[in-house]
Amino acid sequence: MDLLFGTLSLDKHQQNSKRTSPEEDSKLQHSPFDSFKISSTAILDTLNTRSFCPKCTRSMKYFCYWCYQVVGCQRSDVPYLELPIKIDVIKHIKELEGKSTVAHAKIIAPNDVSIYSSLEIPKYENPDRLLLLFPGPDSKTLNEIPRDSFDKLLVVDGTWQQASSLTKFTEELKNIRKVTINPQKTLFWRYQNKSENYLATIEALYYFLKEYYVTYESITDNENSYNGKYDDLLWYYKYFYEFIQSSYRNDKGKKHFTTRHRQGYIKYDE
């Protein structure tokens, strides 16, 4: 189902000191994230060069998608979330690390998100206590599932074809109860030959947690609706989306976004 907007391209754009930052530009232009309660991403605008990952020493920007380490700034500069459920991400072996958005979740919620290769899926002792986030005719929504019937969420990560193959043919996954979310429109910048309801993995995780809150947590929190509790899961995602929008708006007429993407993806005019 899935980042990075070419880190080399990001480097090149950010060398132009006159360029409006994504956060500044989003204040001038309407952003789909305006109503979200996402912490300021201003620190990311200061990262103009690559830095070494503190763990593997690879030269990276923003974070290391191999080690899931913050790069170029302090961990305290990045939001930290505690999630209401443990999440295991099963990444297809052919999914490129730099294209996957699940690194965002691992960095922002490190104690609750684990990532495994599809060749190293854990042996779950109680598969009946698991949910697999994936759409299908046998999938149920959370309001059809008692909270005390599951302990962990599994998520597959890869292109749509890769993810579908994992859920159908992987012995450890094919019989897991499936949960789905209400239809949402993706904001993902990478082209995919699917409808706009096919989400990036980080988007799917976010909307699952949003529905989780409404279904199970809102009553105990005395809330009538979702309160933005898990919005920071989209912290990196918001930044990259707004960076791309800002870059192409500021360079209108000089560079063009891929024509394969849906028409109007870049919001040149409000």
Side-chain angles (χ1 to χ4, degrees):
M1 298 178 197
D2 298 318
L3 178 140
L4 232 352
F5 163 65
T7 305
L8 291 176
S9 297
L10 289 173
D11 291 342
K12 180 179 179 180
H13 282 302
Q14 290 189 324
Q15 288 171 0
N16 184 349
S17 60
K18 296 182 180 180
R19 182 175 301 280
T20 304
S21 74
E23 188 158 80
E24 292 172 333
D25 189 62
S26 68
K27 294 177 181 178
L28 303 176
Q29 302 282 343
H30 171 73
S31 168
F33 294 102
D34 285 346
S35 62
F36 288 60
K37 296 180 180 179
I38 298 177
S39 300
S40 171
T41 58
I43 186 65
L44 297 177
D45 291 325
T46 69
L47 308 184
N48 296 319
T49 61
R50 289 171 171 251
S51 300
F52 294 112
C53 170
K55 188 172 183 179
C56 72
T57 71
R58 288 184 175 93
S59 178
M60 308 295 289
K61 194 170 184 183
Y62 305 114
F63 56 83
C64 178
Y65 45 71
W66 297 94
C67 305
Y68 312 116
Q69 298 289 312
V70 173
V71 174
C73 61
Q74 300 299 312
R75 178 60 186 84
S76 58
D77 294 322
V78 177
Y80 170 84
L81 284 179
E82 291 185 358
L83 305 183
I85 182 174
K86 299 296 184 182
I87 297 173
D88 282 1
V89 177
I90 310 301
K91 181 191 290 292
H92 194 281
I93 190 174
K94 292 185 178 180
E95 173 72 346
L96 298 178
E97 299 292 341
K99 289 186 177 182
S100 173
T101 58
V102 296
H104 306 180
K106 177 61 179 174
I107 294 169
I108 292 172
N111 294 331
D112 298 309
V113 176
S114 300
I115 301 177
Y116 300 95
S117 162
S118 57
L119 295 181
E120 301 174 340
I121 301 175
K123 300 296 182 182
Y124 296 107
E125 293 183 0
N126 299 300
D128 292 342
R129 303 286 303 174
L130 304 174
L131 292 180
L132 175 62
L133 181 58
F134 201 78
D138 57 342
S139 298
K140 295 183 177 181
T141 56
L142 284 176
N143 57 19
E144 300 175 287
I145 303 173
R147 177 59 190 92
D148 60 5
S149 70
F150 62 93
D151 302 316
K152 178 176 286 189
L153 177 72
L154 306 186
V155 180
V156 289
D157 184 48
T159 65
W160 175 252
Q161 289 80 6
Q162 290 168 350
S164 181
S165 176
L166 282 177
T167 62
K168 289 180 180 179
F169 303 115
T170 304
E171 195 66 32
E172 295 90 342
L173 301 179
K174 65 182 183 181
N175 294 319
I176 302 297
R177 278 186 299 165
K178 294 186 180 66
V179 61
T180 189
I181 56 178
N182 293 316
Q184 305 288 343
K185 292 183 179 180
T186 185
L187 295 173
F188 202 28
W189 45 91
R190 288 193 176 276
Y191 169 75
Q192 56 181 2
N193 188 26
K194 296 290 180 182
S195 82
E196 59 186 2
N197 296 124
Y198 285 73
L199 307 179
T201 306
I202 194 67
E203 292 176 306
L205 275 175
Y206 166 74
Y207 284 113
F208 170 87
L209 290 168
K210 183 177 179 179
E211 292 186 18
Y212 182 102
Y213 181 89
V214 172
T215 305
Y216 305 122
E217 295 184 308
S218 58
I219 296 177
T220 57
D221 286 355
N222 294 317
E223 298 280 353
N224 294 323
S225 59
Y226 177 66
N227 65 0
K229 185 175 183 178
Y230 303 116
D231 286 7
D232 267 340
L233 196 70
L234 296 175
W235 190 72
Y236 283 113
Y237 194 77
K238 169 186 180 290
Y239 178 79
F240 292 130
Y241 171 84
E242 291 179 351
F243 183 91
I244 291 166
Q245 293 288 330
S246 175
S247 296
Y248 282 91
R249 275 198 297 265
N250 291 336
D251 284 334
K252 186 177 180 181
K254 297 180 181 179
K255 63 195 300 275
H256 301 281
F257 198 66
T258 174
T259 56
R260 295 192 300 167
H261 213 296
R262 67 177 183 270
Q263 186 175 6
Y265 178 76
I266 301 298
K267 308 299 182 184
Y268 289 113
D269 301 308
E270 296 294 328

